[in-house]
Amino acid sequence: MGHGPYPSIGAGGGVNPQVQQWFRAVDKDQSGFITANELRAALINAQGQSFSETACNLMIGMFDKDRSGHINVEEFEKLYTYVNQWLAVFKTYDTDQSGNIEEKELAEALTKMGFRFTPDFVNFLMKRCDSGKVSVDSFIVLCVQIQRFTEAFRTRDTQQNGTVTIGFEDFLTVALSCSI
Amino acid sequence: MGHGPYPSIGAGGGVNPQVQQWFRAVDKDQSGFITANELRAALINAQGQSFSETACNLMIGMFDKDRSGHINVEEFEKLYTYVNQWLAVFKTYDTDQSGNIEEKELAEALTKMGFRFTPDFVNFLMKRCDSGKVSVDSFIVLCVQIQRFTEAFRTRDTQQNGTVTIGFEDFLTVALSCSI
């Protein structure tokens, strides 16, 4: 029995064919894995924008649990889904297509993504950006970091009340795992 | 009344003369502030070792509370003190002067610095390093991160019992403030 035009290889069978195609295009050395550098080259080509090394390292790091420096096609599919969602939100608010959004738009974008942050917190996020605006690159970095910390927080928020009680070593582990 | 050979300018009067001298040497454009790039150039020259951009950004970020991208001479003095302490510890354990220490030595170094980490945590730290060894560069990055997170933790550990109860937004603020 065939699986259509795309071969189903092992565990890769469940991956969306379009994502598999993208993966093969990004995986320049055909190793079966994508590194931060391969991702960076691909994102420049596909979006017409340059992503920083930091952004690409963080993106790979989201799924690279064993710190091998690369991700496989299943992990890539998850990353692809996240990044496309984030880019879609960003584009909604970047109405003049300048590649930047402002504080008010960042607040709206985060709300749309399901977060309820205080204005002070959004202002704190803005101050982390250099220019008083949020570039698409910084937006992705921010989303990756928020995503990773949110996951780590949720795991520990056993009563789902928005607070966690955490020991020093565990705190350090979370913080270090999600930073560079 | 004089203050010796070094002029006392405003708040800079309390700064160790040797540090002031170092500061002036590092501050290539004589702006009165040191950037990560100036720090990087100076560390290459002074220690005969190259520090990564990440390490220098993190070092500046320790004291650059307003995210201006630079630090003044008083902030530099604090950084100078920290880094010298860390380098001294590192050198103690790098007995063959290879510029690298191993897991057992990292554990001892951290203990010497006053931390009581479990073997699992030290092992987790090791896995963050690429080569199975800790270079002086990664050691400094690790020390900066641990230092910053420890300060953030202590502030919140009001009962000094080694655990904090922390809300989602505050958790994110700490984590983002101490990462890049």
Side-chain angles (χ1 to χ4, degrees):
Chain A
M1 301 258 292
H3 293 271
Y6 299 95
S8 165
I9 309 162
V15 174
N16 178 321
Q18 197 195 336
V19 174
Q20 288 199 28
Q21 208 170 12
W22 230 87
F23 184 87
R24 282 194 293 265
V26 176
D27 180 21
K28 286 287 176 208
D29 64 356
Q30 303 296 311
S31 64
F33 296 101
I34 288 179
T35 63
N37 282 339
E38 286 174 335
L39 184 63
R40 196 168 180 218
L43 287 171
I44 291 168
N45 295 340
Q47 309 291 341
Q49 313 227 24
S50 166
F51 277 71
S52 67
E53 268 186 63
T54 304
C56 294
N57 284 331
L58 275 171
M59 283 191 264
I60 295 292
M62 273 183 82
F63 300 104
D64 177 23
K65 302 297 182 197
D66 60 354
R67 298 184 68 86
S68 58
H70 56 224
I71 58 174
N72 67 20
V73 67
E74 286 83 16
E75 293 162 335
F76 179 73
E77 184 173 40
K78 292 180 201 159
L79 176 61
Y80 183 90
T81 307
Y82 275 117
V83 172
N84 277 327
Q85 283 171 354
W86 294 331
L87 284 175
V89 172
F90 187 88
K91 282 177 190 161
T92 306
Y93 292 100
D94 181 21
T95 45
D96 61 354
Q97 300 187 30
S98 63
N100 292 290
I101 59 173
E102 298 184 14
E103 184 163 347
K104 182 171 162 288
E105 295 156 340
L106 176 64
E108 289 172 8
L110 291 169
T111 303
K112 183 158 186 164
M113 291 162 70
F115 293 104
R116 282 171 295 174
F117 291 132
T118 61
D120 278 355
F121 184 74
V122 177
N123 188 256
F124 158 77
L125 294 178
M126 284 305 294
K127 286 199 185 129
R128 292 170 47 84
C129 300
D130 294 328
S131 56
K133 295 186 171 187
V134 185
S135 65
V136 63
D137 188 290
S138 337
F139 184 74
I140 297 291
V141 168
L142 192 60
C143 289
V144 174
Q145 291 186 311
I146 291 178
Q147 175 67 30
R148 289 172 71 169
F149 286 121
T150 302
E151 275 173 26
F153 190 88
R154 276 208 192 117
T155 310
R156 288 160 180 82
D157 183 13
T158 46
Q159 305 189 11
Q160 305 292 314
N161 64 358
T163 62
V164 295
T165 299
I166 188 169
F168 178 56
E169 205 170 89
D170 191 23
F171 180 83
L172 262 178
T173 304
V174 172
L176 292 177
S177 296
C178 303
S179 62
I180 298 182
Chain B
M1 302 257 291
H3 294 271
Y6 299 97
S8 164
I9 308 162
V15 174
N16 178 320
Q18 197 196 335
V19 174
Q20 288 198 29
Q21 207 169 13
W22 229 86
F23 184 86
R24 282 194 294 264
V26 177
D27 180 21
K28 285 288 177 208
D29 64 356
Q30 303 294 311
S31 64
F33 296 101
I34 287 180
T35 63
N37 282 339
E38 285 174 337
L39 184 63
R40 196 168 180 218
L43 286 171
I44 292 169
N45 295 339
Q47 309 291 341
Q49 312 228 24
S50 164
F51 277 71
S52 68
E53 269 186 62
T54 303
C56 294
N57 284 332
L58 275 172
M59 283 192 261
I60 295 292
M62 273 183 83
F63 298 105
D64 177 23
K65 302 297 181 197
D66 60 354
R67 297 185 68 87
S68 58
H70 55 225
I71 57 174
N72 66 21
V73 67
E74 286 86 14
E75 293 162 336
F76 178 74
E77 184 174 40
K78 291 179 201 160
L79 176 61
Y80 183 91
T81 307
Y82 274 117
V83 172
N84 277 327
Q85 283 170 356
W86 294 329
L87 285 176
V89 171
F90 187 90
K91 283 176 189 161
T92 307
Y93 293 99
D94 180 22
T95 43
D96 60 355
Q97 299 189 30
S98 63
N100 292 290
I101 59 174
E102 298 185 14
E103 183 163 346
K104 183 170 162 286
E105 294 156 341
L106 176 64
E108 289 171 9
L110 290 168
T111 303
K112 182 156 188 167
M113 291 161 71
F115 293 103
R116 280 171 296 173
F117 292 131
T118 61
D120 279 354
F121 184 74
V122 177
N123 189 256
F124 157 78
L125 294 178
M126 284 307 293
K127 287 201 185 128
R128 292 171 45 84
C129 300
D130 294 329
S131 55
K133 294 188 172 186
V134 186
S135 65
V136 64
D137 189 290
S138 338
F139 184 74
I140 296 290
V141 168
L142 192 61
C143 289
V144 173
Q145 291 186 310
I146 290 178
Q147 174 66 29
R148 289 173 71 168
F149 286 120
T150 303
E151 276 174 25
F153 189 89
R154 277 209 190 117
T155 310
R156 288 161 179 82
D157 183 14
T158 45
Q159 304 189 11
Q160 306 290 316
N161 63 358
T163 63
V164 295
T165 298
I166 187 168
F168 178 56
E169 205 170 88
D170 191 24
F171 181 83
L172 261 178
T173 304
V174 172
L176 291 176
S177 296
C178 303
S179 62
I180 296 184

